[in-house]
Amino acid sequence: GGSWMDWHMRSGYTVLALLAFRIAWGVVGTRHARFANFVRGPAAIGAYLRSLGGGAHPVSIGHNPLGALSVLALLAVVLVQVGTGLFANDDILTEGPLAKLVSKATSDAVTTVHYWNQWVLYALVATHVLAVLVHRGRFGDDLVRPMIVGVKRLPSRFAGEDAGPTPWLRAIVVAALAAAFAWYVTTRL
């Protein structure tokens, strides 16, 4: 209650902007950040799981097949969380900026989804963090740095396969557009 709900809403708007950025970056970003590059089918996922089960650790230049599934699952669940939050209400004082566009019954329904989806999100985040720790501890992979700076240190046999320099100007433009989108959705619709 009180100012905590204000911070909750601000955090949600920030997550909306970050989500818009990541989705856009999945289309126009660096090679290994693009969905077309890292989303693989069931055969690749099965082969990756079999290799892990056999004790091998296949090095992935970008996301490995399970990491790609994790990214997609996290994006989907965060999209549900943000989307429902925009239409949610607390039946007291606070409502999402788009709640006025739907009926009270619809707002109540999405509020329920918003509440229960948080537990799915917590589980996925915990699984993701655990996977990052296992990769670090078992395989010596530093997956945190590449998530932040977009560059992964690779074995020498992958020379020339890196994503190249991060196009910072493009990233700044996409970030500004994502922030503008979040501002528009939360203040103008």
Side-chain angles (χ1 to χ4, degrees), residues 15 19 47 57 85 93 127 129 131 133 140 143 146 153-154 165 183 186-187:
V15 172
L19 183 63
H57 172 54
L93 179 64
T127 302
V129 169
L133 293 173
L143 301 179
R153 293 185 182 143
L154 298 168
W183 172 83
T186 59
T187 64

Side-chain angles (χ1 to χ4, degrees), residues 22 25-38 61-63 150 154 158 160-165 167 170:
R22 184 58 186 101
W25 200 245
V27 176
V28 302
T30 57
R31 182 171 75 181
H32 299 297
R34 291 182 185 183
F35 299 127
N37 177 276
F38 72 81
I61 297 172
H63 295 82
L154 298 168
F158 291 107
E161 291 290 324
D162 65 349
R170 187 182 333 153

Side-chain angles (χ1 to χ4, degrees), residues 79-89 107 109-111 113-115 117:
L79 183 63
V80 168
Q81 194 66 12
V82 169
T84 56
L86 292 170
F87 296 93
N89 73 81
S107 180
V110 298
T111 300
V113 173
H114 186 73
Y115 174 79
N117 189 63

Side-chain angles (χ1 to χ4, degrees), residues 74 93 116 134:
L74 281 166
L93 179 64
W116 289 107
V134 166

Side-chain angles (χ1 to χ4, degrees), residues 46 80 125-126 138:
V80 168
V125 168
R138 184 166 179 210

Side-chain angles (χ1 to χ4, degrees), residues 13 16 86-87 95-102 180-189:
Y13 302 159
L16 174 61
L86 292 170
F87 296 93
E95 63 182 24
L98 304 183
K100 63 186 173 290
L101 301 177
V102 298
F181 169 76
W183 172 83
Y184 179 78
V185 167
T186 59
T187 64
R188 296 293 176 211
L189 285 182

